[in-house]
Amino acid sequence: MLTPKQSMFVKEYLIDLNATQACIRCGYSSNTAKEQGCRLLTNANIKEAIQKGMDKRANKTEITAEWILNGIKDVINNSTQENSKLKGYELLGKHLKLFTEKQEVISDTTLTVNFNIPRPKEE
């Protein structure tokens, strides 16, 4: 169960997904809004309410991940502009997490490994 101020935070957060600005619009001090926003986003009930709000919006607009991915594929397949195609590939690559930094946790130490995919040699 959410307090009235938490409910207002969820409503405001769903506007622009900016926790700091949502806190300010809810009446939190602008000096502490960033910290309050971070704290509120860790609350399990608030996370659940935000997810429900996002799901409701997705259903209302009929925008799904599948719809977006199909739209990107259509741009790649039908565009004659290389920049549009490259942007489409970039977005699909990000979706598949091809460009994210990989981390492997060993014991109490975090080891960061960057995977750089070499370009094919031009002949």
Side-chain angles (χ1 to χ4, degrees):
M1 180 115 181
L2 299 178
T3 67
K5 200 162 190 178
Q6 289 172 331
S7 294
M8 182 187 284
F9 170 78
V10 170
K11 180 181 172 194
E12 293 297 326
Y13 179 76
L14 289 170
I15 292 172
D16 56 9
L17 304 181
N18 184 319
T20 301
Q21 291 304 309
C23 281
I24 292 169
R25 292 190 299 262
C26 288
Y28 289 95
S29 163
S30 59
N31 294 332
T32 62
K34 183 176 181 181
E35 292 80 13
Q36 291 294 337
C38 289
R39 182 184 61 77
L40 289 167
L41 288 176
T42 63
N43 179 299
N45 292 331
I46 291 174
K47 280 194 230 181
E48 183 180 337
I50 289 170
Q51 188 59 55
K52 283 182 182 178
M54 293 178 86
D55 292 345
K56 182 178 177 182
R57 180 171 54 199
N59 287 333
K60 186 176 179 180
T61 60
E62 297 181 0
I63 296 174
T64 64
E66 182 180 354
W67 182 82
I68 291 169
L69 293 172
N70 283 330
I72 293 169
K73 284 177 21 183
D74 287 346
V75 168
I76 291 169
N77 291 332
N78 299 321
S79 179
T80 59
Q81 297 180 350
E82 277 304 306
N83 287 345
S84 296
K85 290 181 180 227
L86 288 173
K87 184 64 178 179
Y89 282 119
E90 177 186 350
L91 291 171
L92 291 176
K94 285 181 179 179
H95 172 73
L96 295 172
K97 296 183 175 46
L98 295 176
F99 311 124
T100 58
E101 192 173 277
K102 306 290 183 191
Q103 292 187 346
E104 181 180 343
V105 177
I106 301 171
S107 176
D108 293 336
T109 305
T110 300
L111 172 67
T112 302
V113 179
N114 292 317
F115 293 95
N116 294 318
I117 301 171
R119 294 183 178 187
K121 293 181 183 178
E122 293 184 21
E123 296 179 23

